[in-house]
Amino acid sequence: MRIHLFLSLSIAAFLALTAAGQPSARSFSVGAGARIEVVNPHGRVEIEAAPVREGTDGDAKDSGAVLLSISSVAAVRDSDLKIDASRSLVRVEVLAGAKGKRLDLKLSVPARSRLKIETAAGEVVVNGDVASAEVRTGTGTIAADVP
């Protein structure tokens, strides 16, 4: 009986810990030249801009989707984030209620997006063809690989 109870509790604890560390993902449709704003006080922000696509008329097509992945060792709750999204602006903010919880954000954005990123103590990485990137951090590292 004790072994059965111990095994049941062990499995429940393992599943709870495994679920807590699972990444969360969201997607938003945006138009060409969209502005992406991210405020993440204590976590990492990584931006990957998609390659420029050309349409059948030879013009660059920069509209598409913003894909947001959120990872944390603790469970990610909707109350940890404030997200406002439209065709021209996606704003992601990690809220003060998540204090003490590190949320790492990874965003895939269309080429030629305009970025504004702010952290207090998180690393910021920007890769790909972006129109502009305004990055502020208190103690985090900033790295960029842009054409």
Side-chain angles (χ1 to χ4, degrees):
M1 178 69 167
R2 285 185 185 181
I3 292 174
H4 179 46
L5 179 61
F6 176 74
L7 285 175
S8 296
L9 290 174
S10 296
I11 291 171
F14 173 77
L15 292 175
L17 289 173
T18 303
Q22 294 297 316
S24 175
R26 297 185 174 96
S27 177
F28 314 96
S29 294
V30 295
R35 183 167 178 87
I36 314 300
E37 297 181 0
V38 179
V39 178
N40 188 6
H42 303 291
R44 183 174 200 262
V45 177
E46 182 178 349
I47 306 285
E48 184 74 36
V52 174
R53 299 176 301 147
E54 290 198 17
T56 55
D57 56 4
D59 289 338
K61 303 296 181 192
D62 299 330
S63 62
V66 172
L67 305 174
L68 168 65
S69 298
I70 308 152
S71 60
S72 177
V73 295
V76 177
R77 295 180 172 81
D78 288 339
S79 62
D80 293 337
L81 298 165
K82 179 180 179 188
I83 300 174
D84 295 315
S86 69
R87 295 275 301 160
S88 60
L89 172 67
V90 174
R91 180 170 167 67
V92 178
E93 181 178 0
V94 176
L95 299 174
K99 189 173 183 175
K101 181 190 292 188
R102 176 185 164 132
L103 299 180
D104 292 329
L105 308 178
K106 182 173 183 177
L107 293 91
S108 296
V109 302
R112 309 300 301 154
S113 294
R114 297 173 296 130
L115 308 176
K116 182 177 180 182
I117 305 164
E118 184 178 331
T119 73
E123 175 185 32
V124 177
V125 177
V126 177
N127 293 308
D129 190 1
V130 297
S132 63
E134 178 184 333
V135 179
R136 292 186 183 148
T137 183
T139 60
T141 302
I142 299 172
D145 183 7
V146 296

